[in-house]
Amino acid sequence: MRFIICTCLATFLFGCNGWVWSTLNNDSSLVTGDTGYSVDPSALNYAYVNANIFQPHCIHCHSNAAGNSGGVNLETYANVIANLNNIRDQVNTNQMPKGGPPLTDTEKTILNDWISLGAPQ
Ligand code: HEC
């Protein structure tokens, strides 16, 4: 029930973006790594994106421990926000993750939807 309310709210607030929520929630392929995840609007925050996108796909290059490749550190919310447009461009044009397989369509959708929500913490 809460999801239905949220979906209506998201549809109302974000127009045609609302359909994405229901698509994501009905997508049985929404699996990252070894763990299955389901997305609902209340879960789409920095913690979720960090755990599912940045940590598995970016941090092994963009961390202090890894020498912050390209001068970019993606270990904190503030740093991600500061690089947000660049991150979106790099990921959607498959330039990042560098040398690795591109993010899946579902992972890109998660990132793009989170950004379109205003990248909430
Ligand atoms: C294997 C190492 C590696 C991984 C993994 C990686 N990057 Fe990078 N990234 C780099 C390097 C090296 C650069 C410097 C530019 C270049 O060499 O293309 C860079 C540059 C960037 C830049 C700055 C680009 C610019 O031209 O200003 C952004 C933003 C970025 N990466 C985001 C990400 C994101 C988001 C991920 C995960 C989805 C990611 N990177 C994964 C190595 C990596």
Side-chain angles (χ1 to χ4, degrees), residues 20-120:
V20 174
W21 301 126
S22 39
T23 305
L24 281 171
N25 275 274
N26 295 328
D27 183 359
S28 60
S29 71
L30 189 60
V31 172
T32 306
D34 296 324
T35 314
Y37 299 95
S38 64
V39 173
D40 70 55
S42 63
L44 203 52
N45 55 18
Y46 170 67
Y48 185 90
V49 175
N50 187 44
N52 290 284
I53 310 281
F54 299 128
Q55 291 295 332
H57 295 296
C58 315
I59 292 304
H60 52 286
C61 294
H62 294 292
S63 61
N64 289 328
N68 298 325
S69 291
V72 176
N73 178 285
L74 299 178
E75 290 182 287
T76 66
Y77 178 69
N79 288 352
V80 166
I81 293 300
N83 288 288
L84 206 54
N85 287 337
N86 216 347
I87 290 168
R88 180 176 50 197
D89 293 347
Q90 295 287 324
V91 165
N92 286 305
T93 58
N94 298 334
Q95 295 178 78
M96 293 291 151
K98 192 174 179 74
L103 297 193
T104 65
D105 287 347
T106 301
E107 289 167 335
K108 287 176 186 172
T109 301
I110 290 170
L111 182 70
N112 291 332
D113 285 354
W114 176 65
I115 292 172
S116 72
L117 280 173

Side-chain angles (χ1 to χ4, degrees), residues 1-24:
M1 185 59 188
R2 195 178 56 156
F3 168 67
I4 294 170
I5 294 170
C6 290
T7 303
C8 293
L9 191 62
T11 307
F12 176 71
L13 289 176
F14 305 107
C16 58
N17 280 349
W19 70 269
V20 174
W21 301 126
S22 39
T23 305
L24 281 171

